[in-house]
Amino acid sequence: AVTITGTLGVCLGALVFYPLGQLFWGTLFITLFVFSDMLDGIMARMMERNSHWGSFLDSTLDRVADAAVFAGVAIWFFTGGANVPVAVAALVCLVLGNLVSYARAKAESLGCTASVGIAERSERLVTVLVFTGFTGLGLPEPVLLTVLVLLAAASLVTVIQRIAAVYRQTRTAV
């Protein structure tokens, strides 16, 4: 219930507030629900209710929430925000963020580990929320663009790091 509520809150904030140009208030709203998302795993372990299903659901809904945040930013900047470079950078971050997560999940499904990288989910989420919120308070949009481009680059490096880690593990296993 906590996982689902957190995801719905993040999606609502990102896909309602951000497309309306309410970047600061959207960030505040999303942040309230991100905290519940961080607590769900801790609560499950404390209550000894962790399961494969819960882990799967949490990971899947994390991807939904992340995609909603970057999509909300992109929607605003493609429309009322009228800044196509920022919108495109947000979409690139969305795609690369999903690749980061996919690479780890696929590695684990093959019996490998790929928890390496410089742009984990928490870093990506905190970065986009902080700079989007500050942009809503008047931070110049070129700063947000720069941050998103750097975040995309860090995500790409993380994907490459994970590919290399799995490559090394599969080559030594032969």
Side-chain angles (χ1 to χ4, degrees):
V2 173
T3 300
I4 293 168
T5 301
T7 302
L8 289 175
V10 169
C11 290
L12 181 69
L15 297 174
V16 173
F17 286 99
Y18 282 178
L20 293 174
Q22 298 296 317
L23 303 180
F24 177 73
W25 294 111
T27 296
L28 283 183
F29 189 88
I30 292 164
T31 300
L32 293 173
F33 286 95
V34 166
F35 285 126
S36 71
D37 181 48
M38 293 177 181
L39 293 175
D40 59 0
I42 295 168
M43 289 174 53
R45 285 187 290 282
M46 287 175 54
M47 297 172 63
E48 297 181 7
R49 295 185 63 191
N50 50 336
S51 66
H52 290 298
W53 164 246
S55 177
F56 169 81
L57 182 64
D58 181 53
S59 292
T60 302
L61 293 182
D62 284 351
R63 303 299 78 75
V64 171
D66 294 356
V69 169
F70 285 105
V73 171
I75 291 167
W76 168 246
F77 285 103
F78 272 131
T79 60
N83 190 327
V84 172
V86 172
V88 170
L91 288 180
V92 171
C93 286
L94 187 159
V95 170
L96 289 170
N98 276 303
L99 281 173
V100 166
S101 299
Y102 176 79
R104 181 174 178 171
K106 184 61 179 179
E108 290 172 355
S109 78
L110 297 172
C112 298
T113 58
S115 55
V116 298
I118 61 172
E120 294 281 347
R121 177 180 188 248
S122 57
E123 288 88 2
R124 293 189 314 267
L125 196 55
V126 167
T127 301
V128 70
L129 289 175
V130 166
F131 284 92
T132 300
F134 283 145
T135 300
L137 290 175
L139 183 72
E141 290 176 6
V143 175
L144 179 59
L145 175 61
T146 301
V147 166
L148 290 174
V149 168
L150 292 172
L151 187 57
S155 297
L156 180 60
V157 168
T158 300
V159 170
I160 293 167
Q161 289 173 312
R162 291 183 175 189
I163 290 169
V166 172
Y167 177 79
R168 285 190 300 274
Q169 290 170 59
T170 58
R171 292 301 103 199
T172 58
V174 174

